[in-house]
Each structure stands twice: as structure tokens, then as C-alpha cells.
Amino acid sequence: MTEILVQVGAEENVPPASRVVEHPAWPVLKDAVERIRPWQSKDGSIDFDAEGAPERAVAEDAVRRVAGAVEELSPLLPHDRAYHEALVKDLGRWADGGFQVPDFLDSLLAFQPAANRADGLQHLVVFPMYTQNGNPDRNLEAVVLRMVWPDWLAELERTRYDNPLFCGITFEDFTA
């Protein structure tokens, strides 16, 4: 679908030519995540006995839609393949475990954006988190971000400010 270019003499991927947010699976993913969020308790679990809670099969279908969209988008982001594979497994474990407090540790450990800091490189991330806007609830979120790593910054990090985990990013799109 999208051709990935490899830099001459380098092993790192150059950013995909198309934007993840322009792919038809991105709005499907956002919609499924937005559908799940109101069902979640403050700790991220889903209490099927709570008022307004869906049938378990409805929640399972929404999680399948999230996982399916991630699998459809993942080929655009081969540098995040291990993360996306772990994410799909974490989503499945969450559903299979009855939607208890979500544990996405495996996928969080697999997400390593600092391993390939190429300017313009996109990442798709989905996990339960607290947002920085003061919301105390742990909600499922979906985010597409783009690495900001111009040559001058790479040179500065390489020669004067060694911080191998620093990532400059810009948000392409995200759930509400």
C-alpha cells in the first residue's frame, strides 16, 4: 500500500509517504475508542452492572474494531510492528479477562520511539492513560504523532546533550 524508503547507507526507515490520519482505518479506530471510553470506570475497567454499560458482546466488538484498525494501520508503521503486535495481544487479554483494570504493560514496554528518531516518522499509540488536561480517569486513548527530529537537533543531541530517550513530537490527531 505505502512504499517505505530506506536511506542509502543507513538502516533506519524514512517516514511513510502517506499520513496515518488519512487512512480509512484511522476514523474507525477513533470511533471505536470513543465508543469504549464512556463505559470505562475511573480505573479503566468496564463494570457491566453499571448504569449505561453495554452488553459484554458490544464491548468485545468495539475492542475487536480497535484491534482490527491497529492491524490495518500497522503496515504503514513497520518501525512500530512489535508494539502493535503487543497492543493487539493486550487488547485481547483485557477483553478475555472481563475488562478488569487494563494492564497494557507488554505493549508499553514494546513502544520505543526513541530507538528510531527520524524527522517526520509517524507513530500510532493506543493505551489506557491519564490525560494531561486534569482528567483523573484512566481512559483508552488513541494518538497519532510525528517525530520532530531535524538535523540540527540530532547533531545537538549527538554532540552536546546526550539524552537517548528524548523525543520531540507533534500530534497529528488523537481521541477527544
Side-chain angles (χ1 to χ4, degrees):
M1 176 182 287
T2 300
E3 188 174 304
I4 302 297
L5 304 174
V6 178
Q7 291 179 335
V8 176
E11 293 298 321
E12 60 189 45
N13 293 320
V14 172
S18 68
R19 296 175 62 214
V20 171
V21 298
E22 293 171 350
H23 191 283
W26 172 242
V28 171
L29 174 59
K30 279 181 65 174
D31 179 65
V33 168
E34 292 289 354
R35 189 150 186 227
I36 293 167
R37 291 174 48 145
W39 304 332
Q40 292 183 275
S41 301
K42 288 186 176 292
D43 63 4
S45 65
I46 298 177
D47 178 0
F48 292 101
D49 294 327
E51 185 177 328
E55 298 282 327
R56 182 172 169 155
V58 172
E60 289 170 346
D61 181 62
V63 168
R64 272 193 298 277
R65 287 179 49 222
V66 170
V70 168
E71 290 173 330
E72 194 173 337
L73 291 164
S74 190
L76 296 174
L77 309 160
H79 50 280
D80 285 333
R81 182 177 44 117
Y83 163 66
H84 293 146
E85 289 171 355
L87 171 60
V88 168
K89 288 178 185 172
D90 282 347
L91 286 163
R93 250 192 320 270
W94 185 43
D96 292 345
F99 295 94
Q100 298 301 310
V101 175
D103 175 8
F104 282 40
L105 182 60
D106 290 348
S107 57
L108 287 172
L109 292 174
F111 183 58
Q112 299 291 322
N116 189 2
R117 295 179 289 188
D119 194 40
L121 195 66
Q122 299 175 95
H123 296 280
L124 164 67
V125 293
V126 179
F127 42 75
M129 67 173 126
Y130 301 99
T131 57
Q132 58 186 341
N133 61 3
N135 179 356
D137 298 346
R138 189 172 177 202
N139 294 316
L140 196 63
E141 302 283 351
V143 178
V144 176
L145 55 96
R146 184 175 296 276
M147 186 72 65
V148 177
W149 202 254
D151 291 340
W152 67 266
L153 182 56
E155 179 65 20
L156 184 64
E157 195 275 336
R158 188 171 40 258
T159 60
R160 294 180 52 198
Y161 300 105
D162 180 23
N163 184 349
L165 296 179
F166 174 75
C167 294
I169 63 165
T170 185
F171 292 101
E172 294 280 304
D173 198 12
F174 45 87
T175 50

